[in-house]
Amino acid sequence: MPTNVIYPAEDQSRQAASVRCATVEDLARVREEIARVRERQAKVEGGHDNLRDGLSTLSVQFSELRRDLTRSVTDTAAQTRSEIMQRVDDMTDTATERNAEISGRLARIEGGLKLTSWVTMTFIVLATGLLGWGQIGDAAWSFCRRAFGYGP
């Protein structure tokens, strides 16, 4: 038997008839193939590690993006609320100024109406009084003319 041949661990009677035995060169080739398969497996596992690391990095970046977007939306909402409230305050101030101006005009108009009413009433009272005195004067004149015989 050659020393560089390894026989399979099968029964010895069939070995001699149809069994092919591996040589040292065959074993070397098998070992090389196993080494290549292990290298490929290591590359695949390294690729998995790279993918896992990449996914972890993407997850962190996504979390940071979501945090930044949330902060940006919150800041923008606060700024928008502030701008709206400023506009509402401006509109309120404008309305208050207009109300004050209109109230002043109405007060002046009301004062003018009161003055006009007072003057009118005064004129009416004076006219009524004068007419009353005129009638009294006319009656006294008529009486005196009759009393002194100058009238009917």
Side-chain angles (χ1 to χ4, degrees), residues 7-89:
Y7 295 100
E10 293 182 359
D11 111 350
Q12 297 291 336
S13 64
R14 291 193 343 194
Q15 270 187 2
S18 66
V19 175
R20 179 178 179 276
C21 298
T23 62
V24 173
E25 291 85 20
D26 291 336
L27 281 177
R29 271 183 272 159
V30 168
R31 283 183 185 142
E32 287 175 14
E33 186 62 30
I34 289 173
R36 274 187 254 143
V37 168
R38 284 185 179 159
E39 285 177 23
R40 281 190 227 128
Q41 183 180 8
K43 286 180 182 177
V44 168
E45 288 175 0
H48 285 161
D49 291 342
N50 287 340
L51 285 174
R52 195 174 309 114
D53 292 343
L55 286 174
S56 296
T57 302
L58 283 174
S59 177
V60 168
Q61 289 174 346
F62 181 73
S63 295
E64 290 173 355
L65 176 64
R66 187 174 62 216
R67 182 196 66 218
D68 292 345
L69 284 174
T70 302
R71 184 177 298 142
S72 176
V73 166
T74 302
D75 293 347
T76 302
Q79 182 179 358
T80 302
R81 259 192 312 276
S82 173
E83 290 174 1
I84 288 172
M85 292 310 295
Q86 182 63 39
R87 289 180 185 166
V88 168
D89 290 343

Side-chain angles (χ1 to χ4, degrees), residues 93-109:
D93 293 344
T94 302
T96 303
E97 289 173 10
R98 286 182 183 165
N99 285 345
E101 182 181 338
I102 289 171
S103 294
R105 287 181 183 174
L106 288 175
R108 285 192 302 275
I109 290 170

